[in-house]
Structures are given as structure tokens and as C-alpha cells.
Amino acid sequence: MEQLERYREQLQVCDEKILEGLLERNRVVEEIMACKEENGMKILQPDQEARQDAWLEGALEGCRHQEEVRAVFREIHRGSKKIQARRLFSYNIVLIGFMGAGKSTISEYLNTLFAMDVVEMDQLIAQREGMSIADIFEVYGEEYFRNLETALLVELQDRKNVVISCGGGTPLRECNVREMKKNGRVVLLCADPETILERVKDSHERPLIENNKNVEYIGQLMEKRREKYEAAADIVIHTDGKSALDICEEMVGKLLELDRREGKR
């Protein structure tokens, strides 16, 4: 029993060292973010994560419990990303734009970069209703679906530091835009009709263009929505010919600049 107690004491010492190291690491993460902002450096540096992963693999070579250690470090890195996200964004990021503008892609990338929770509105509504968006339109009509969107945006007022990817028609209702702006920055993602067609041509979950998949029709529908999209947006990002990293770098830069202009940084 005395030997067991000694082992437990050793374990407690290890836990204390781990806790001290984690608190110190988190402090350094915050200082890195402050240094980047103060010196106008790039906020996003995904290559750093690759270097950390390479270091860990080298350090773990030949060691026992590799999977367990990797799992711990994954959570450590995830925690660091969340610290960065909270420092950068005291609000939700609401992505709007025409179908195929890149909302889902950018939502996923922001999750990768900052471990931010993502709410795909169309996906969540379909899941709750137990049917596809196309079927909701067909069975209940567009008005019913739009009411579900509004109710979901109201519900999301209880969340913060979340990426909300809206359906293409969500910003067309002024009440929806009001809900978006209560605790979020609205980011409009844009793309040319040709780009949109290329991205959505193989999808059958777009009831508004299912029988009109051509550049002319898409362009006309985009033009009808353009004024309301632009009126809703806090910032605008054009996604044509840009990587997800390029788009997110531009987005973060514009959001930080907007915060500074409004005295929120």
C-alpha cells in the first residue's frame, strides 16, 4: 500500500507539471496573437501546425502510448485554436451569399483553423425536419422553410464564437438580417455566375435552380438578390480563383479592421 501511495504522489506531481505547462502554453498563445496584431503580421499560419505535428512525430518515435499522447496533443492544439478564435472574434461569423459562393467550404476551413463550432443552417433544418431541403420546399412550400430559417437564427442568439453558414435566401428577409447582426458580423461571399454554375451543376439539393442550371438564369437570380445581400453585409469577399486560406486571410483582416474602426479592439 505504501508503494501504491508513492506512485499516486508521483502521478500528482506529473499532473501539477502538466497543468503548469498548459497554463504557460496558453499564456504564450495569447502573447503570440497580441504580437501578430501589434506588428501587422499574418494571423493565419497553418504551416506552423504542420511543423508542430512533425516535431511530435519525431519526438514520439519508438515511444509507448503514441496514440494516447497524440490524442492529448490534438486537444491541446484545439484549445489553442479556441483561444485564438475568442481573442479575434467576440461575436459569431455569419456567412451569406448565393448558393455555391463557398459558404460551406469556408465554414469548414474556419473550423480547421480556429476550432470554431459551425452551424450549417440548411443541414440542421433538414436534419430536424427529417427530409431534404428540396422535399421541404415541395411538401410545405418556401414560406414554411423561410420561417424555419428565422426561428433558427433567433435560437442562435444564445451562441457566441460560432460560424453560421446561411442558405442563399436567408438574408432576403429583413428580420433575418436583424437577428444576424445582434451578435454577429455578416460576411458576404461572392462569385461570378460561371463559377457558381461550375460548383453546383452536379448538386440536386438546390430547388430554386434545379431546372435552370445555366449561367443566364443564375446571373439573373443573383442580380435580383444583390441589393439585399450587399445591404446585409458588414464585409464582402470575392471568392473566384482564391484558395480557402486566401479567403480566410482576407476575411480575418477585414473583420479586424472593421473592429478597429468601431473601437472594438
Side-chain angles (χ1 to χ4, degrees), residues 21-50:
L22 284 175
L23 293 175
E24 176 67 9
R25 190 183 194 282
N26 289 346
R27 182 189 64 78
V28 173
V29 169
E30 291 182 328
E31 289 184 353
I32 288 172
M33 292 298 292
C35 179
K36 287 180 177 180
E37 287 190 60
E38 289 169 8
N39 293 281
M41 301 169 65
K42 282 188 175 182
I43 299 295
L44 307 184
Q45 296 179 323
D47 55 326
Q48 176 61 22
E49 185 173 353

Side-chain angles (χ1 to χ4, degrees), residues 30 33-34 37 82-90 265:
E30 291 182 328
M33 292 298 292
E37 287 190 60
K82 284 183 172 291
I83 290 170
Q84 294 176 62
R86 285 196 297 269
R87 180 180 177 86
L88 290 170
F89 315 118
S90 60
R265 302 201 74 78

Side-chain angles (χ1 to χ4, degrees), residues 139-197:
V139 174
Y140 298 110
E142 182 175 357
E143 185 69 13
Y144 176 85
F145 174 74
R146 299 304 176 196
N147 289 338
L148 293 176
E149 287 183 316
T150 301
L152 180 53
L153 286 170
V154 173
E155 178 185 330
L156 289 171
Q157 293 307 316
D158 294 332
R159 306 282 298 276
K160 192 170 75 169
N161 215 230
V162 172
V163 181
I164 303 171
S165 178
C166 299
T170 310
L172 302 182
R173 279 187 170 184
E174 291 185 7
C175 62
N176 288 351
V177 176
R178 287 195 298 271
E179 294 300 326
M180 294 175 192
K181 288 180 176 288
K182 282 181 179 178
N183 68 342
R185 293 291 200 191
V186 181
V187 179
L188 171 60
L189 300 181
C190 300
D192 292 336
E194 292 80 4
T195 302
I196 297 294
L197 178 60

Side-chain angles (χ1 to χ4, degrees), residues 2-109:
E2 291 181 5
Q3 184 180 17
L4 179 60
E5 198 59 35
R6 285 198 299 271
Y7 287 148
R8 286 174 173 165
E9 289 174 358
Q10 291 173 12
L11 197 61
Q12 179 64 33
V13 171
C14 291
D15 288 345
E16 290 172 359
K17 289 180 178 178
I18 291 170
L19 176 58
E20 182 181 357
L22 284 175
L23 293 175
E24 176 67 9
R25 190 183 194 282
N26 289 346
R27 182 189 64 78
V28 173
V29 169
E30 291 182 328
E31 289 184 353
I32 288 172
M33 292 298 292
C35 179
K36 287 180 177 180
E37 287 190 60
E38 289 169 8
N39 293 281
M41 301 169 65
K42 282 188 175 182
I43 299 295
L44 307 184
Q45 296 179 323
D47 55 326
Q48 176 61 22
E49 185 173 353
R51 287 194 291 270
Q52 290 174 329
D53 290 341
W55 165 81
L56 181 61
E57 288 306 306
L60 287 176
E61 188 173 356
C63 296
R64 298 176 62 189
H65 313 303
Q66 291 187 22
E67 282 305 309
E68 291 81 3
V69 174
R70 287 192 190 98
V72 170
F73 269 84
R74 279 195 296 270
E75 287 306 308
I76 289 173
H77 292 159
R78 180 174 171 81
S80 296
K81 291 176 179 181
K82 284 183 172 291
I83 290 170
Q84 294 176 62
R86 285 196 297 269
R87 180 180 177 86
L88 290 170
F89 315 118
S90 60
Y91 43 78
N92 294 330
I93 295 178
V94 186
L95 302 180
I96 66 170
F98 199 76
M99 61 188 81
K103 299 185 295 293
S104 295
T105 299
I106 298 307
S107 295
E108 292 172 7
Y109 201 69

